[in-house]
Amino acid sequence: MPTSPPAPVLTIDGPSGSGKGTISRLVADHLGWRLLDSGALYRAVGYAAGMAGLDLSDAEAVTRCAETTKIQFRAGPDDGETRVIVNGHDATDELRTETAGAAASAIASVPSVRQALVALQLSFRKQPGLVADGRDMGTVIFPDARFKVFLTASAAERAKRRYKQLKEKGLSVTLASLQSEIEARDTRDASRAVAPLKPARDAVLVDTTGMGIEDVVAKVLTVVKP
């Protein structure tokens, strides 16, 4: 019997603070496609490792954690923010902190952790389509994706965005420390041996510096041809 073609995929990669999460969610809503927030998976494992008191430099321990951590995505109330359930606990708010982001970046450099999460990420590819948000969606996880976008923005711009988000959540942060952390993460993500952060050769680059959300969404949607 003939097999049906795989569901179409739009990958949206880019550095921390480039707007991937917001843009991916809005584009997925517009298209009526499923959404994969790959960064949330790594943050969830980093969070679980921290709750278990693991040393994030212990590759064997964090790999076991990646293999056993139960991660679920649930629709938020009134179509709000998607909730991320980690080992039965709603960890959505904790996963948005800079601490969780740093933990995710640290364990993402461990090859065996990345391998443990590949199958989980691939399982999100279902009809009518998938918008995959991350750092290596177009280069490693879905290299055959028909549509690829790489979002970027200046470090200063990304720091301002994160500062505003975290302040709205009532968290105490400084703009200077956020920019320093973002620049350090950029260097770490771009220089790691496994799946370094870089645009896929066939990705459309979109610099979101100074752009409004609606303009970015419109630009990304032009990539998805009928």
Side-chain angles (χ1 to χ4, degrees), residues 6 53 80-81 116 123 159 201 211:
E81 182 180 16
S123 71
R201 284 195 301 258
M211 291 180 68

Side-chain angles (χ1 to χ4, degrees), residues 134-146:
R135 284 177 169 78
D136 63 352
M137 296 296 97
T139 54
V140 177
I141 306 301
F142 300 105
D144 64 332
R146 290 173 58 193

